[in-house]
Coordinates of all heavy atoms in Angstrom, one line a residue:
I33 N -10.7 3.8 2.3 CA -11.0 4.1 1.1 C -11.0 2.8 0.2 O -12.0 2.6 -0.6 CB -10.2 5.2 0.5 CG1 -10.4 6.5 1.1 CG2 -10.1 5.3 -1.0 CD1 -9.4 7.5 0.7
Q34 N -10.0 2.0 0.4 CA -9.9 0.7 -0.5 C -11.1 -0.2 -0.2 O -11.6 -0.8 -1.1 CB -8.5 0.1 -0.3 CG -7.4 0.9 -0.9 CD -6.1 0.4 -0.6 OE1 -5.8 -0.4 0.4 NE2 -5.0 0.8 -1.2
S35 N -11.3 -0.4 1.2 CA -12.3 -1.3 1.5 C -13.8 -0.8 1.1 O -14.7 -1.6 0.9 CB -12.3 -1.6 3.0 OG -12.7 -0.6 3.7
S36 N -14.0 0.5 1.0 CA -15.2 0.9 0.6 C -15.6 1.0 -0.9 O -16.7 1.3 -1.3 CB -15.5 2.3 1.1 OG -14.6 3.3 0.4
G37 N -14.5 0.8 -1.8 CA -14.7 0.8 -3.2 C -14.6 2.1 -3.8 O -14.9 2.4 -4.9
L38 N -14.2 3.1 -3.0 CA -14.0 4.4 -3.5 C -12.6 4.8 -4.2 O -12.5 5.9 -4.6 CB -14.3 5.4 -2.4 CG -15.7 5.5 -2.0 CD1 -15.8 6.4 -0.6 CD2 -16.7 5.9 -3.0
Q39 N -11.8 3.7 -4.3 CA -10.4 4.0 -4.6 C -10.4 4.5 -6.1 O -9.5 5.5 -6.5 CB -9.5 2.9 -4.6 CG -8.1 3.0 -4.9 CD -7.5 3.8 -3.7 OE1 -7.6 3.7 -2.7 NE2 -6.8 5.0 -4.2
D40 N -11.1 4.2 -7.1 CA -11.3 4.5 -8.4 C -11.6 6.0 -8.4 O -10.9 6.9 -9.2 CB -12.2 3.7 -9.2 CG -11.7 2.4 -9.5 OD1 -10.4 2.1 -9.3 OD2 -12.5 1.4 -10.0
Q41 N -12.6 6.5 -7.7 CA -13.0 7.8 -7.7 C -12.0 8.7 -7.1 O -11.7 9.9 -7.6 CB -14.4 8.0 -6.9 CG -15.5 7.5 -7.6 CD -15.8 6.1 -7.2 OE1 -15.1 5.4 -6.7 NE2 -17.2 5.8 -7.4
V42 N -11.3 8.3 -6.1 CA -10.2 9.1 -5.5 C -9.0 9.3 -6.4 O -8.4 10.3 -6.6 CB -9.8 8.4 -4.1 CG1 -8.5 9.1 -3.6 CG2 -10.8 8.4 -3.2
D43 N -8.7 8.1 -7.1 CA -7.6 8.2 -8.1 C -8.0 9.1 -9.2 O -7.1 9.9 -9.7 CB -7.3 6.8 -8.6 CG -6.6 5.9 -7.6 OD1 -6.1 6.5 -6.6 OD2 -6.5 4.6 -7.8
G44 N -9.2 9.1 -9.7 CA -9.5 9.8 -10.8 C -9.5 11.3 -10.4 O -9.0 12.2 -11.1
A45 N -9.9 11.7 -9.1 CA -9.9 13.1 -8.8 C -8.4 13.6 -8.6 O -8.1 14.7 -9.0 CB -10.6 13.3 -7.4
R46 N -7.6 12.7 -8.1 CA -6.2 13.1 -8.0 C -5.5 13.3 -9.3 O -4.7 14.2 -9.4 CB -5.5 12.0 -7.2 CG -4.4 12.6 -6.5 CD -3.9 11.6 -5.3 NE -2.5 11.9 -5.1 CZ -1.5 11.1 -5.1 NH1 -1.9 9.7 -5.1 NH2 -0.3 11.5 -4.9
V47 N -5.8 12.5 -10.3 CA -5.3 12.6 -11.6 C -5.7 13.8 -12.3 O -4.8 14.5 -12.9 CB -5.6 11.2 -12.4 CG1 -5.4 11.5 -14.0 CG2 -4.8 10.0 -12.2
I48 N -7.0 14.1 -12.1 CA -7.4 15.4 -12.7 C -6.6 16.5 -12.1 O -6.4 17.5 -12.8 CB -9.0 15.5 -12.6 CG1 -9.6 14.5 -13.6 CG2 -9.4 16.9 -12.9 CD1 -11.1 14.2 -13.3
E49 N -6.5 16.6 -10.8 CA -5.8 17.6 -10.1 C -4.4 17.7 -10.5 O -3.9 18.9 -10.7 CB -5.9 17.3 -8.7 CG -5.3 18.5 -7.7 CD -5.3 18.0 -6.3 OE1 -6.3 17.4 -5.8 OE2 -4.2 18.3 -5.5
L50 N -3.7 16.7 -10.9 CA -2.4 16.7 -11.1 C -2.2 17.0 -12.7 O -1.1 17.4 -13.0 CB -1.7 15.3 -11.0 CG -1.5 14.9 -9.5 CD1 -1.0 13.3 -9.3 CD2 -0.5 15.7 -8.8
F51 N -3.1 16.7 -13.5 CA -2.9 16.9 -14.9 C -2.4 18.1 -15.5 O -1.4 18.1 -16.1 CB -4.3 16.6 -15.6 CG -4.2 16.7 -17.1 CD1 -3.6 15.8 -17.9 CD2 -4.8 17.8 -17.8 CE1 -3.4 15.9 -19.3 CE2 -4.7 18.0 -19.1 CZ -4.0 17.1 -19.9
S52 N -2.9 19.3 -15.0 CA -2.4 20.5 -15.6 C -1.0 20.8 -15.1 O -0.1 21.3 -15.9 CB -3.3 21.7 -15.0 OG -4.6 21.6 -15.6
S53 N -0.7 20.6 -13.8 CA 0.8 20.8 -13.5 C 1.8 19.8 -14.2 O 2.9 20.3 -14.5 CB 1.0 20.5 -12.0 OG 0.7 19.2 -11.7
I54 N 1.3 18.6 -14.6 CA 2.1 17.8 -15.4 C 2.3 18.4 -16.8 O 3.4 18.3 -17.3 CB 1.6 16.3 -15.5 CG1 1.5 15.7 -14.1 CG2 2.3 15.4 -16.5 CD1 2.8 15.4 -13.4
V55 N 1.3 18.8 -17.5 CA 1.3 19.4 -18.7 C 2.2 20.6 -18.7 O 3.1 20.8 -19.6 CB -0.1 19.7 -19.2 CG1 0.0 20.6 -20.5 CG2 -0.9 18.6 -19.6
A56 N 2.1 21.4 -17.6 CA 3.0 22.6 -17.5 C 4.6 22.1 -17.4 O 5.3 22.8 -18.0 CB 2.7 23.2 -16.2
E57 N 4.8 21.0 -16.8 CA 6.1 20.5 -16.6 C 6.8 20.0 -18.0 O 7.8 20.1 -18.4 CB 6.3 19.4 -15.6 CG 6.1 19.8 -14.1 CD 6.1 18.6 -13.2 OE1 6.5 17.5 -13.7 OE2 5.6 18.8 -12.1
V58 N 5.8 19.2 -18.7 CA 6.2 18.4 -20.0 C 6.1 19.4 -21.1 O 7.0 19.4 -21.9 CB 5.3 17.3 -20.1 CG1 5.6 16.6 -21.5 CG2 5.4 16.3 -19.0
I59 N 5.2 20.2 -21.3 CA 5.0 21.0 -22.5 C 5.2 22.6 -22.3 O 5.9 23.2 -23.0 CB 3.6 20.8 -23.2 CG1 3.4 19.3 -23.5 CG2 3.4 21.6 -24.4 CD1 2.0 19.0 -23.9
G60 N 4.6 23.0 -21.1 CA 4.8 24.5 -20.8 C 3.5 25.0 -20.2 O 2.4 24.5 -20.5
E61 N 3.6 26.1 -19.5 CA 2.6 26.6 -18.7 C 1.4 27.3 -19.7 O 0.2 27.2 -19.4 CB 3.0 27.8 -17.9 CG 2.0 28.4 -17.0 CD 1.6 27.5 -15.9 OE1 2.4 26.6 -15.5 OE2 0.4 27.4 -15.6
G62 N 1.9 27.8 -20.9 CA 0.9 28.3 -21.8 C -0.2 27.2 -22.3 O -1.3 27.6 -22.3
I63 N 0.2 26.1 -22.6 CA -0.7 25.1 -23.0 C -1.4 24.5 -21.8 O -2.7 24.3 -21.9 CB 0.0 24.0 -23.9 CG1 0.4 24.5 -25.1 CG2 -0.9 22.7 -23.9 CD1 1.1 23.6 -26.1
A64 N -0.8 24.4 -20.6 CA -1.4 23.9 -19.4 C -2.6 24.7 -19.1 O -3.6 24.1 -18.5 CB -0.4 23.8 -18.4
Q65 N -2.6 26.0 -19.2 CA -3.6 26.9 -18.9 C -4.9 26.7 -19.8 O -6.1 27.1 -19.6 CB -3.2 28.4 -18.9 CG -2.2 28.7 -17.8 CD -1.7 30.1 -17.9 OE1 -2.0 30.8 -18.8 NE2 -0.9 30.5 -16.9

Side-chain angles (χ1 to χ4, degrees):
I33 288 170
Q34 289 173 349
S35 67
S36 70
L38 294 174
Q39 189 65 49
D40 289 343
Q41 287 93 340
V42 171
D43 288 346
R46 205 157 155 237
V47 164
I48 290 167
E49 181 182 325
L50 290 170
F51 177 72
S52 291
S53 64
I54 297 293
V55 171
E57 288 175 19
V58 173
I59 302 173
E61 189 65 40
I63 290 181
Q65 292 177 353

